Amino acid sequence: MAPPAKTGSASGVSSVDGSVESSSAQPEEALPDASDAALPDSPDAARYPTAEVIAPKDEGMLVHIESDTQSNRGSVYLLDGHAVVVYGNRTLQADRIEYDSNTGDVSLNGHLRLTGGENDELIQASHGMINVKTQTGRFYDVSGSVGIRQDAKSDGKAVDAHGVYVNSNPFLFSGRMVVKSGPRQYQIYDGMVTSCQLQHPDWLLSAGEFRLDGEKASASNSVFRVMNLPVLWLPYVTHPTDANDRQSGILIPVLGDSSSKGFTVGEQVYWSINRSTDLTAGAIYYSDRGWEQSASFRYRGLGQDFAQAHYSGLQDRGYTPSGGVYTNQSGEDAVISARRDFVADSPLPGSFFAGANAVQTRVAADVEYLSSFPYREAFSSNFNQAVSSDVVSTIYGTREWNGLALSAEGDRYQGEKRVATALLPEQQVHIFHAPALEFTTTDHRLESTGLEWNVDSSVAMLKRVQPNFVTGGMIERLDLRPEIAYPFGAMGWRIRPSLATRETFYSRSHSLSGSSEPNPESLATLNRADLDLQVDMRAPVVERTFDSGFVTRLLRHDVRHTIEPEFTYSYVNGIDNFQQVLRFDDVDVASNTNELEYGATQRLFLRRMDKNPCRVSGSGADATEILKQAGSEAEGVAEPGQATGRTDAAEQNCGNREWISWRVAQKYFFDPNFGGAVVNGKRNILATTLDFSGIAFLTEPRNISPLLSRLRVRTSEKTDVEWDFDYDTGAKKFTANNIYADVHQGEFFAGVSYARLNAPGRSYVAGVASSVADFQQMRYTVGFGRPTKGGFSAATNAGIDLDLKTVQYGAIQSSYNWSCCGVSVEYRKYELGTARNENVYRFNFTLANIGSAGNIRRSDQLF
């Protein structure tokens, strides 16, 4: 017996198999059986195939129906007025719905709306039919979307809204008819697809038929239109629709023009190997130079595990500049980076790691092979990479437990010693560590004595290759440095005296026999030993708070001024064979020294003057946490270095921030010869000078180092200014002088930097530094906008050689974005001497959530 018609609001019954849960607002008399009701005459079956049943019947599906009025006859329910049928994760809505609970057939008329599904599908139509058990059907006069989640009211009825993009591949579509042939399969006839909002999309693809299979949408013989103007015919096109999947395929071609390379055309193929791995390979043809091939591989694992690789190579036909000689810049560049973290484990009892809380193991690699520096200089789009003269490759594995670390490492350094010219070939330096074993520790307490100990040690196989010098095979080096320290405090001072001894053994040495060879090697072994005494002292912080008076009124903030003095005395003795040590890394430049480093750091902190300095944005737990973090300082400014646990949000909301910091330091050398390590008239690199400043300054015995200054002013959250310099008080000159300024205000941004280097170069002849280390440069960036900003955006940057008065590189980039597409154009210039003098024109056309056509790489974006 058929159940009686249900009446009342929000009332209903439910059962298990093919059952109905119903509710209505007003009863209506039962109508005749409507099982024979059908949609208007369907199109020709030869053109539009009948939707096939491909999904099995769901025996346990619960269907919920509701409407203003409803009635039933047998298993057929007639719903009128705001009619809704809910099944599984999909919802059907229409003005009038007929539902057969036995067969699962649903007929819908007037304002049809289907929502839900794994990909957040939406279909709106004038009328249609669907079977909720087989999930097949047809819809007419359709518009819809995939990957855009619709909002919903609290009563469960969907509302017509723009919705929210829930994956990276959303798109909208419309068509005369849509056939649903399965749970995730659709055919759209006489339709269009786009990622823009309807009704007037900026771009669209139109075709006689589109097919959606749950993973991708595809079409043949489609027309690409921009602003409703036909632009391109595409024989076949696909677009992914699965939020968790990517599609393999042929990417959009790359076109461009260059004054030194000619017309550029390129193509790439993308292979989505799986959800964690992909590969892109392609080639670019330069009409004036030849073919360049490239490939990129990416893998992303759990946590910080990753692997990526990139290869590029060029078969250059070469060129002959006006009045010059033939130049060939062929080359290859391959880069591999990877990291793998192993799950922390507890060590086995009785093993070397027994007693450790947990053992962390990590392997990583950052490897690059470059066959030719001129190739990278001529074809890299990144200026800093193009002018870099160093290539460093490292592979290592490390195991850490309880502050101890055991590592195995191999690395290779490749540096350009002399740039290739028409008359002289390129010269390079190669240094190898293959392999090196290291054992290091952090400071460890020695029972209850107050003493602390640590160890640095390594065993390495080393090799060096450069013009006129090659080490004979691999050189063994053993280095061991244990240290013991006794940190203590008294009267506000923090003092850490330490004593260390160092022993280093080399299987070969540098000969001092006076041979005519530039760097003769001796087969004699070498042992280097030293005693290292150091006392590190930190004086109490001197401070004063200005909470009234002229300064406070001028700045409208309370001001705290702090001064942090610091002193470090170092004495190293025992290294009397410095000139016999072959150079491979910083271990080999240790020398005797007797020195005192002294300096001070000054800071100015600002705090708002109002009585309630903390204004908390947010609510609930976040607001409470900010108040907790800021409460301890609501009446004052934190001590420098005090661990308050405050977040950036608390700092900003409470108005307490560091305004100015200025560090000044210098060294006094009681032994100006460093135990005989300094060679007069030559650039000398020692461990003590390298740790103090990255700029070389030792060309003769001296007692005073340059004065180091590091000044940073942060006038607001939008502005930063920094001035760093090394001033040689003996030569009365700046050996290094760098100024940086950066500002962000709304959509506007700008930055400028000035760099001056006037220090000993790699060669030092007749007391005059080489020109390589004497230069002035300026760089700037100015722009308005951002990549996703609607409307117009523009930016420019440049690097200027102030000595030669030339622009080494420069770019002007502008873009205009509509609602879902945009266009960018760029002019870029490189002027790198005889190696590269190039003007490049680039463009990009971007479709929202689809991709870009053009040759402006993301790494080259100025904004």
Side-chain angles (χ1 to χ4, degrees):
M1 175 182 294
K6 306 301 175 185
T7 63
S9 176
S11 63
V13 297
S14 63
S15 59
V16 179
D17 179 20
S19 64
V20 178
E21 180 181 283
S22 66
S23 63
S24 63
Q26 179 180 347
E28 185 175 311
E29 294 184 2
L31 296 178
D33 193 329
S35 60
D36 296 332
L39 295 173
D41 293 339
S42 61
D44 184 4
R47 182 182 177 193
Y48 304 109
T50 302
E52 298 179 358
V53 176
I54 62 173
K57 180 180 179 180
D58 186 353
E59 297 295 339
M61 181 175 60
L62 175 67
V63 177
H64 170 86
I65 62 175
E66 63 180 67
S67 62
D68 292 341
T69 62
Q70 63 180 246
S71 61
N72 70 289
R73 185 177 182 86
S75 63
V76 178
Y77 291 79
L78 179 62
L79 314 177
D80 275 304
H82 301 97
V84 178
V85 174
V86 180
Y87 67 99
N89 60 356
R90 285 181 167 85
T91 300
L92 293 169
Q93 295 174 282
D95 295 338
R96 182 181 179 89
I97 296 179
E98 295 182 14
Y99 168 60
D100 189 327
S101 61
N102 285 340
T103 63
D105 290 332
V106 183
S107 297
L108 307 97
N109 280 280
H111 301 95
L112 184 158
R113 183 183 177 93
L114 184 154
T115 58
E118 296 179 8
N119 290 328
D120 292 283
E121 301 155 8
L122 165 66
I123 291 179
Q124 299 181 109
S126 61
H127 59 282
M129 64 176 296
I130 188 173
N131 187 289
V132 298
K133 297 182 178 181
T134 63
Q135 298 191 43
T136 59
R138 290 189 181 188
F139 309 95
Y140 298 88
D141 306 321
V142 177
S143 64
S145 64
V146 174
I148 303 179
R149 181 170 299 158
Q150 303 298 310
D151 297 328
K153 292 181 179 179
S154 58
D155 60 4
K157 294 183 179 180
V159 297
D160 190 6
H162 291 296
V164 178
Y165 284 12
V166 295
N167 67 50
S168 59
N169 303 312
F171 73 96
L172 298 91
F173 60 87
S174 65
R176 189 170 64 84
M177 184 180 75
V178 171
V179 175
K180 181 175 172 62
S181 55
R184 303 175 66 186
Q185 288 76 37
Y186 297 90
Q187 288 85 47
I188 304 171
Y189 293 96
D190 299 332
M192 52 76 68
V193 299
T194 182
S195 62
C196 305
Q197 290 288 340
L198 303 176
Q199 295 292 326
H200 303 288
D202 295 337
W203 72 268
L204 60 88
L205 278 172
S206 61
E209 179 183 359
F210 291 92
R211 293 183 176 271
L212 284 71
D213 61 5
E215 296 182 354
K216 66 177 183 296
S218 61
S220 301
N221 298 320
S222 62
V223 177
F224 176 68
R225 298 173 180 268
V226 178
M227 304 303 177
N228 206 31
L229 297 175
V231 174
L232 184 65
W233 172 79
L234 299 171
Y236 181 75
V237 64
T238 66
H239 177 63
T241 60
D242 190 340
N244 299 316
D245 197 11
R246 296 165 295 167
Q247 298 296 317
S248 303
I250 300 174
L251 302 183
I252 301 174
V254 174
L255 303 175
D257 183 66
S258 165
S259 62
S260 65
K261 302 180 181 72
F263 178 72
T264 301
V265 58
E267 183 57 281
Q268 292 181 311
V269 176
Y270 176 76
W271 178 23
S272 177
I273 302 173
N274 54 48
R275 63 180 300 175
S276 302
T277 313
D278 60 26
L279 175 68
T280 304
I284 299 177
Y285 176 71
Y286 303 107
S287 62
D288 291 345
R289 306 299 291 274
W291 288 93
E292 181 180 38
Q293 62 277 359
S294 64
S296 296
F297 171 84
R298 300 183 303 175
Y299 162 77
R300 171 61 68 178
L302 298 176
Q304 299 187 64
D305 294 355
F306 78 96
Q308 59 187 29
H310 178 76
Y311 166 81
S312 63
L314 174 75
Q315 290 76 46
D316 189 13
R317 291 199 298 263
Y319 71 101
T320 303
S322 178
V325 298
Y326 172 80
T327 301
N328 188 298
Q329 295 174 319
S330 296
E332 294 178 303
D333 190 6
V335 180
I336 299 175
S337 298
R339 171 172 172 157
R340 174 75 166 89
D341 288 2
F342 295 92
V343 178
D345 54 350
S346 298
L348 296 174
S351 69
F352 179 74
F353 305 102
N357 296 327
V359 178
Q360 304 284 343
T361 305
R362 177 176 69 256
V363 294
D366 191 356
V367 179
E368 180 175 6
Y369 167 75
L370 178 65
S371 65
S372 169
F373 280 98
Y375 162 66
R376 187 167 70 176
E377 186 176 8
F379 287 88
S380 175
S381 61
N382 183 287
F383 174 78
N384 291 328
Q385 185 183 54
V387 299
S388 174
S389 60
D390 301 301
V391 176
V392 180
S393 299
T394 302
I395 301 175
Y396 75 90
T398 184
R399 194 167 178 85
E400 301 173 353
W401 72 102
N402 286 359
L404 311 178
L406 181 64
S407 306
E409 177 188 8
D411 66 58
R412 172 182 179 269
Y413 169 81
Q414 177 184 0
E416 190 175 35
K417 187 176 179 66
R418 185 177 66 196
V419 179
T421 65
L423 301 177
L424 297 173
E426 177 186 39
Q427 291 185 349
Q428 297 185 10
V429 177
H430 297 264
I431 300 175
F432 302 88
H433 293 66
L437 300 177
E438 297 181 358
F439 177 72
T440 60
T441 73
T442 58
D443 289 335
H444 285 68
R445 287 276 184 177
L446 190 61
E447 301 299 336
S448 59
T449 62
L451 294 172
E452 295 179 347
W453 64 269
N454 66 74
V455 174
D456 285 326
S457 60
S458 65
V459 179
M461 303 289 289
L462 310 168
K463 184 177 179 65
R464 182 175 185 132
V465 179
Q466 68 183 57
N468 301 320
F469 177 67
V470 178
T471 56
M474 304 299 290
I475 295 178
E476 298 88 4
R477 184 185 69 193
L478 172 63
D479 184 58
L480 177 63
R481 186 184 184 278
E483 180 186 77
I484 191 167
Y486 185 75
F488 65 93
M491 302 179 63
W493 285 74
R494 290 174 295 164
I495 304 174
R496 186 183 185 275
S498 63
L499 181 66
T501 180
R502 186 172 199 166
E503 188 82 16
T504 310
F505 169 80
Y506 296 87
S507 63
R508 298 188 184 185
S509 59
H510 181 213
S511 174
L512 300 179
S513 61
S515 170
S516 59
E517 297 182 36
N519 293 296
E521 179 187 18
S522 172
L523 298 179
T525 61
L526 178 69
N527 191 72
R528 185 189 69 185
D530 69 74
L531 186 68
D532 185 347
L533 172 66
Q534 182 170 296
V535 181
D536 184 69
M537 297 171 286
R538 296 291 186 270
V541 176
V542 181
E543 61 182 41
R544 179 180 178 182
T545 300
F546 301 88
D547 54 8
S548 63
F550 172 75
V551 174
T552 302
R553 292 194 300 271
L554 176 66
L555 299 175
R556 298 182 180 180
H557 284 75
D558 294 341
V559 180
R560 171 167 289 186
H561 179 210
T562 66
I563 304 176
E564 306 166 38
E566 56 187 50
F567 306 90
T568 301
Y569 173 75
S570 297
Y571 176 78
V572 179
N573 190 39
I575 304 177
D576 55 3
N577 50 7
F578 181 85
Q579 303 300 336
Q580 294 177 263
V581 178
L582 294 169
R583 309 285 188 260
F584 300 97
D585 54 37
D586 58 342
V587 173
D588 308 315
V589 293
S591 68
N592 288 347
T593 187
N594 185 8
E595 64 184 47
L596 175 66
E597 179 180 345
Y598 46 90
T601 301
Q602 300 189 66
R603 305 180 194 273
L604 287 178
F605 298 88
L606 297 182
R607 184 194 66 182
R608 288 203 321 274
M609 295 173 57
D610 50 31
K611 296 182 180 180
N612 300 304
C614 287
R615 64 181 190 280
V616 179
S617 60
S619 60
D622 292 338
T624 302
E625 182 64 23
I626 291 176
L627 283 173
K628 286 180 179 179
Q629 295 172 348
S632 62
E633 299 181 32
E635 299 300 329
V637 180
E639 296 287 344
Q642 178 179 345
T644 63
R646 164 173 289 177
T647 63
D648 291 341
E651 286 283 358
Q652 185 173 359
N653 286 319
C654 294
N656 300 332
R657 61 183 176 86
E658 184 180 273
W659 177 32
I660 299 175
S661 66
W662 184 21
R663 179 178 181 267
V664 179
Q666 194 173 39
K667 279 189 176 185
Y668 183 84
F669 305 111
F670 299 99
D671 177 8
N673 292 292
F674 297 88
V678 174
V679 177
N680 197 19
K682 178 183 177 183
R683 185 180 73 164
N684 296 269
I685 304 295
L686 307 179
T688 181
T689 61
L690 192 61
D691 291 340
F692 182 66
S693 171
I695 308 301
F697 60 86
L698 272 180
T699 58
E700 59 186 359
R702 60 186 298 170
N703 293 105
I704 299 290
S705 77
L707 180 69
L708 265 65
S709 172
R710 305 291 184 262
L711 174 66
R712 181 180 179 184
V713 180
R714 191 177 188 189
T715 57
S716 70
E717 290 77 11
K718 302 174 182 178
T719 307
D720 278 294
V721 178
E722 187 169 346
W723 181 21
D724 302 337
F725 66 79
D726 295 5
Y727 182 75
D728 193 328
T729 55
K732 295 181 173 53
K733 68 175 183 178
F734 289 97
T735 55
N737 191 9
N738 302 290
I739 301 174
Y740 315 91
D742 181 76
V743 60
H744 290 262
Q745 180 65 48
E747 300 288 347
F748 173 80
F749 59 91
V752 62
S753 66
Y754 166 81
R756 171 70 193 277
L757 180 66
N758 186 9
R762 291 184 176 180
S763 61
Y764 202 84
V765 181
V768 180
S770 69
S771 60
V772 175
D774 186 7
F775 65 85
Q776 298 182 83
Q777 289 185 337
M778 185 178 74
R779 299 184 182 185
Y780 76 84
T781 299
V782 179
F784 174 82
R786 60 183 188 276
T788 58
K789 173 184 174 293
F792 179 75
S793 297
T796 178
N797 73 347
I800 303 170
D801 189 320
L802 298 178
D803 292 328
L804 300 177
K805 296 180 175 56
T806 60
V807 177
Q808 294 180 311
Y809 74 93
I812 300 175
Q813 193 175 104
S814 64
S815 68
Y816 191 92
N817 293 326
W818 290 269
S819 62
C820 65
C821 66
V823 61
S824 300
V825 293
E826 178 192 78
Y827 165 74
R828 190 174 289 262
K829 174 184 177 60
Y830 301 91
E831 189 170 336
L832 305 177
T834 59
R836 187 175 187 179
N837 193 342
E838 179 183 17
N839 299 304
V840 184
Y841 300 90
R842 298 174 177 174
F843 82 97
N844 257 17
F845 180 72
T846 303
L847 303 179
N849 308 297
I850 300 295
S852 298
N855 54 355
I856 301 179
R857 300 177 182 177
R858 182 176 299 179
S859 59
D860 296 333
Q861 292 280 356
L862 301 185
F863 50 83

